[in-house]
Amino acid sequence: MVMKSTVVCLVALALLGSLCHAQRAQSGGYLPQQKPAQEPVKHHPHQQSKQTFERPLTWEYPEDPTPDPEVVVPFELRYPVAAATVAVECRESIAHVEAKKDLFGIGQFINPADITLGNCAPVAVDNANQVLIFETELHSCHSTLTVTEDYLIYSFTLNYDPKPLADTLVVRTSKAAVIVECHYPRKHNVSSLPLDPLWIPFSAVKVSEEFLYFTLRLMTDDGQNERPSFQYYLGDIINVEAVVKQFFHVPLRVYVERCVATIAPDMNSLPHYVFIENNGCLVDARITGSSSKFMARTSDNKLQFQLEAFRFQNAGSGLLYITCHLKATSTLRPIDAEHRACSYINGWKEASGQNAACGSCESGVFGGKSGNQGPWLPPNPGQTPGRKIRDVSQRENNVFEWEGDVTLGPIPIGERVVA
């Protein structure tokens, strides 16, 4: 009996265990175990508590800044262009090169010590026009000669090598090299001497020591511009302007001391006619009754005169060459009997109004053999005609004179046709 009861109890326990296992399987897991009860937290009298505010907080994080709207700016990148700042004049036996101080055309002047023509430094500076001047013989300054079928070509290199500014390592321009060439024709010349031009420029220029330029040129009737044509006819008025160009000199005044007309470039050839003589006396009007005269001065370094056109008798060519001996002196030197520009207009008148300086013009020999048939004589014996000089003997109160001969021509003088 006791055995039965024990068996029944075991069966009941087994069934109850199966039932519990089935319930856990249906619920998907075991029931959580209960945690043991925790003891209540005891608050100490000095422990901090959470802060409270009487009013709610209104502060907020600032918004992220928005970028400024993009502005469309009209802009075009300027690319550098070649600047025409170097010029060359090829003369009979020398090369005359001019380079602007603003070599790159950017408004930045270069240091003259940084530029050379080959191995030659500038010989002068034109401060008025901000130009550096080089002059050299064709075989100097590291020039090279190239011979072609038709030309002799002398090449020079204008080198610019900028040095750092002051004591810095800063440069604002770059190195540059400009090739300069002079071309001379080979044909019709078999001499080793300097090549002679086939014609004399109508605006003839000669340079004296210290780089003074004397110029003669034909002018328009109003005397404002160079005349584009050199053809004249009998009865026309030939307007001639004499100019002295200076670089670093004090202000100068130019004078036409003596002029002779010939039918050939040689000023000593025959026939010839001296129409200005005796230190600046224009005697043509006094001799022939023409309207030839000096014009009133408008600038010290310029002097204009008018010559009534003429031809030499029995000369078939009708060509005229005019050779003048020009003189330049400081404007500090007064106008006097040796420095004047006198015309015969109902008496002798001076171009600057200093008529008293013309008193000795009447003492000359007009139309005689010595004036118009004899050879051309330089103002001072012993001087070579046409030689560019600086006459130190004329020094007075630190005032110097410069002299030179200039030839203008040929000027064709045509005959007027009567219908």
Side-chain angles (χ1 to χ4, degrees):
M1 193 67 181
V2 174
M3 177 82 63
K4 281 184 180 180
S5 299
T6 304
V7 172
V8 172
C9 289
L10 291 173
V11 172
L13 289 173
L15 292 175
L16 181 60
S18 299
L19 180 61
C20 291
H21 179 74
Q23 289 179 352
R24 281 197 302 271
Q26 290 179 359
S27 65
Y30 295 97
L31 293 175
Q33 298 180 359
Q34 286 187 347
K35 295 181 179 180
Q38 297 181 355
E39 295 182 0
V41 179
K42 297 181 180 180
H43 295 282
H44 299 282
H46 299 291
Q47 188 176 1
Q48 292 183 352
S49 60
K50 185 177 180 180
Q51 184 179 2
T52 59
F53 299 93
E54 296 181 357
R55 297 179 181 178
L57 294 175
T58 58
W59 181 86
E60 296 178 354
Y61 282 99
E63 297 181 357
D64 293 336
T66 57
D68 294 333
E70 185 176 353
V71 179
V72 179
V73 179
F75 174 76
E76 182 179 357
L77 181 61
R78 294 182 180 179
Y79 294 93
V81 295
T85 55
V86 178
V88 60
E89 180 183 353
C90 301
R91 298 175 183 169
E92 183 175 340
S93 60
I94 64 174
H96 176 91
V97 181
E98 296 185 357
K100 294 183 179 180
K101 285 187 177 181
D102 185 8
L103 186 64
F104 296 92
I106 57 175
Q108 181 74 31
F109 286 179
I110 65 174
N111 184 353
D114 295 341
I115 189 169
T116 57
L117 184 66
N119 62 334
C120 300
V123 296
V125 179
D126 181 357
N127 290 318
N129 297 309
Q130 300 298 336
V131 171
L132 302 174
I133 300 171
F134 301 84
E135 276 199 346
T136 176
E137 298 289 337
L138 295 177
H139 295 282
S140 301
C141 297
H142 291 173
S143 68
T144 58
L145 173 61
T146 304
V147 181
T148 66
E149 182 179 356
D150 298 322
Y151 291 97
L152 299 173
I153 303 174
Y154 292 88
S155 301
F156 301 85
T157 303
L158 189 68
N159 296 304
Y160 174 61
D161 186 8
K163 303 298 186 298
L165 299 174
D167 295 328
T168 68
L169 299 177
V170 173
V171 293
R172 290 194 169 90
T173 51
S174 56
K175 292 184 179 181
V178 180
I179 304 300
V180 177
E181 294 183 348
C182 282
H183 293 229
Y184 295 90
R186 291 183 60 195
K187 295 183 179 181
H188 310 297
N189 193 301
V190 294
S191 171
S192 61
L193 298 176
L195 295 173
D196 293 326
L198 300 179
W199 56 278
I200 298 176
F202 302 103
S203 178
V205 176
K206 287 192 176 183
V207 59
S208 68
E209 292 182 3
E210 297 200 15
F211 308 100
L212 245 70
Y213 283 82
F214 289 112
T215 303
L216 278 183
R217 59 179 183 167
L218 300 177
M219 304 297 290
T220 54
D221 292 340
D222 59 5
Q224 299 299 314
N225 299 288
E226 187 169 2
R227 194 174 192 266
S229 173
F230 41 90
Q231 175 70 59
Y232 291 90
Y233 294 91
L234 289 176
D236 288 346
I237 298 298
I238 302 175
N239 293 276
V240 181
E241 181 181 71
V243 179
V244 58
K245 294 183 179 180
Q246 61 204 45
F247 292 103
F248 48 85
H249 292 279
V250 296
L252 298 179
R253 185 182 294 123
V254 66
Y255 300 93
V256 180
E257 190 171 70
R258 179 177 167 92
C259 283
V260 62
T262 57
I263 61 175
D266 183 5
M267 57 188 173
N268 293 315
S269 63
L270 294 176
H272 67 252
Y273 173 53
V274 180
F275 58 91
I276 298 179
E277 59 179 334
N278 196 11
N279 295 320
C281 299
L282 205 165
V283 298
D284 182 61
R286 178 69 173 81
I287 298 172
T288 66
S290 70
S291 59
S292 301
K293 62 181 178 180
F294 282 108
M295 307 301 290
R297 279 190 186 269
T298 58
S299 177
D300 284 325
N301 71 319
K302 296 180 181 180
L303 181 60
Q304 295 182 347
F305 64 86
Q306 293 182 336
L307 178 66
E308 191 170 328
F310 65 90
R311 296 175 59 147
F312 285 99
Q313 188 177 17
N314 300 325
S317 68
L319 297 179
L320 285 184
Y321 289 85
I322 296 175
T323 301
C324 294
H325 186 82
L326 304 183
K327 179 189 297 184
T329 184
S330 168
T331 55
L332 298 176
R333 181 187 288 276
I335 296 173
D336 54 24
E338 295 183 355
H339 308 84
R340 58 191 177 182
C342 297
S343 306
Y344 190 80
I345 310 171
N346 296 323
W348 291 100
K349 310 292 183 184
E350 211 281 324
S352 299
Q354 306 294 324
N355 297 336
C358 301
S360 61
C361 284
E362 194 64 26
S363 64
V365 179
F366 309 128
K369 182 176 180 180
S370 63
N372 296 296
Q373 298 300 325
W376 171 276
L377 297 176
N380 296 319
Q383 292 177 2
T384 303
R387 178 176 174 81
K388 303 175 287 290
I389 64 171
R390 175 182 177 182
D391 190 359
V392 182
S393 65
Q394 298 292 330
R395 179 174 180 178
E396 180 180 345
N397 297 327
N398 293 325
V399 177
F400 292 90
E401 290 184 356
W402 292 265
E403 302 178 20
D405 294 335
V406 184
T407 300
L408 178 64
I411 305 173
I413 306 296
E415 295 183 355
R416 292 191 179 275
V417 179
V418 179

